[in-house]
């Protein structure tokens, strides 16, 4: 079995694969290293042979997680690393090592699934990112803006009268008419900002490539925007597609 980890700023997304069938045995999202270990312990049977991960966390945080996994399960951990070029994609950053590894892997995965044609990758997590990859594999660059969690938390933190829980937030997103409560106004307003981001990115992609490109939507909040671009392919595990390419295990 192979353990795959996508260590983001707020959460760790994980899944366990059957190494022979490449089928997902179990998967989930946790908010801490120890919560990950607890979730893995209850999988029966669990026989891990390898682990690969991508992390946007600090070197110290990532190292602590690797040490914990190696000690707990007695397996080697392989981590994705920055690259100037891989699998036909050329990193477009002036300093390629500064490009977030999760973005890099999502681009590798998207370009692969698009069959080498132009693609726009939109990732909706703690932050929202957009990356443009041309048909020749050239990464044209991208954009970063706050995601739903950051927008929501900024309003909660800096506006004294905005106080509500996650359940109220989820209920508020059941519609997109103007809000009649603060929670509805905030959640729907932030949602429309994300939807507007999608529209502007698709418009820019059309300016580059006409209609000859594929849109990929991924990340924890992908469902909030999938209706804005009905032609888009929603691939929740796009980073894992790229991770398998960057860290092949024999």
């Amino acid at each position: 079995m192979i353990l795959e980890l996508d260590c983001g700023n707020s959460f760790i997304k994980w899944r366990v694969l059957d190494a022979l069938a490449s089928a997902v045995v179990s998967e989930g999202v946790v908010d801490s290293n120890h919560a990950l270990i607890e979730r893995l312990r209850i999988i029966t049977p669990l026989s891990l042979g390898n682990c690969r991960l991508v992390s946007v966390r600090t070197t110290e945080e990532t190292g602590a997680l690797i040490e914990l996994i190696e000690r707990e399960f007695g397996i080697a951990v392989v981590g994705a690393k920055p690259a100037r070029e891989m699998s036909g994609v050329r990193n477009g950053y002036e300093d390629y090592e500064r490009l977030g590894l999760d973005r890099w892997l999502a681009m590798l995965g998207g370009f692969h699934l698009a069959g080498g044609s132009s693609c726009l990758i939109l990732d909706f997590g703690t932050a929202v990112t957009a990356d443009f990859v041309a048909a020749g594999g050239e990464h044209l660059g991208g954009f970063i803006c706050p995601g739903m969690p950051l927008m929501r938390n900024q309003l909660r933190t800096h506006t004294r009268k905005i106080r509500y829980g996650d359940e109220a937030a989820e209920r508020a997103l059941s519609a997109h008419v103007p809000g009649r409560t603060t929670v509805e106004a905030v959640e729907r307003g932030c949602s429309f900002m994300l939807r507007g981001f999608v529209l502007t990115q698709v418009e820019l992609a059309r300016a580059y490539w006409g209609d000859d490109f594929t849109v990929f939507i991924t990340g924890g909040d992908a469902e909030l925007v999938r209706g804005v671009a009905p032609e888009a392919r929603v691939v929740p595990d796009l980073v894992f597609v790229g991770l398998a390419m960057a860290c092949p295990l024999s």
Side-chain angles (χ1 to χ4, degrees):
M1 292 179 175
I2 299 172
L3 173 62
E4 295 185 327
L5 302 174
D6 177 5
C7 307
N9 293 297
S10 302
F11 299 100
I12 301 172
K13 186 175 182 180
W14 63 272
R15 70 180 189 178
V16 174
L17 300 179
D18 183 317
L20 297 177
S22 296
V24 177
V25 175
S26 187
E27 60 185 340
V29 179
V30 294
D31 59 3
S32 70
N33 294 354
H34 291 288
L36 171 66
I37 300 301
E38 290 177 2
R39 291 290 300 274
L40 292 173
R41 281 175 177 166
I42 64 176
I43 299 174
T44 305
L46 180 66
S47 179
L48 294 177
N50 300 95
C51 174
R52 55 191 171 207
L53 66 76
V54 54
S55 176
V56 298
R57 300 183 174 190
T58 66
T59 301
E60 293 74 20
E61 290 172 323
T62 303
L65 176 57
I66 290 174
E67 182 180 345
L68 181 61
I69 291 170
E70 291 181 337
R71 183 174 67 248
E72 185 72 23
F73 301 107
I75 58 175
V77 179
V78 179
K81 299 183 183 303
R84 170 63 72 188
E85 184 172 352
M86 183 178 290
S87 300
V89 180
R90 291 182 297 280
N91 194 315
Y93 260 30
E94 294 178 359
D95 180 356
Y96 74 91
E97 294 183 330
R98 299 289 293 175
L99 177 68
L101 279 172
D102 52 347
R103 290 173 62 193
W104 175 238
L105 296 186
M107 283 191 283
L108 296 183
F111 189 68
H112 170 70
L113 293 180
S117 63
S118 301
C119 55
L120 166 64
I121 295 95
L122 302 172
D123 192 340
F124 293 86
T126 302
V128 171
T129 62
D131 283 288
F132 298 76
V133 182
E138 188 71 30
H139 173 220
L140 305 181
F143 298 96
I144 304 173
C145 71
M148 196 72 167
L150 288 178
M151 289 191 288
R152 177 189 295 132
N153 290 338
Q154 283 296 303
L155 286 168
R156 285 175 172 174
T157 301
H158 297 288
T159 308
R160 292 182 180 178
K161 292 186 177 181
I162 295 181
R163 295 288 184 272
Y164 57 85
D166 292 339
E167 290 185 6
E170 186 174 348
R171 289 194 302 270
L173 288 171
S174 62
H176 281 95
V177 298
R180 296 172 66 88
T181 65
T182 299
V183 60
E184 290 177 351
V186 169
E187 291 297 313
R188 294 172 190 177
C190 291
S191 174
F192 273 119
M193 290 189 73
L194 294 188
R195 292 157 70 92
F197 182 83
V198 173
L199 293 173
T200 58
Q201 302 311 298
V202 171
E203 181 180 351
L204 182 54
R206 285 203 179 98
Y208 279 130
W209 306 310
D211 291 324
D212 189 19
F213 65 96
T214 304
V215 181
F216 292 96
I217 296 178
T218 190
D221 284 329
E223 290 299 320
L224 293 179
V225 298
R226 68 180 303 165
V228 182
E231 74 282 6
R233 295 176 60 179
V234 178
V235 184
D237 295 327
L238 190 58
V239 169
F240 284 142
V241 175
L243 179 61
M245 298 167 65
C247 302
L249 298 172
S250 55

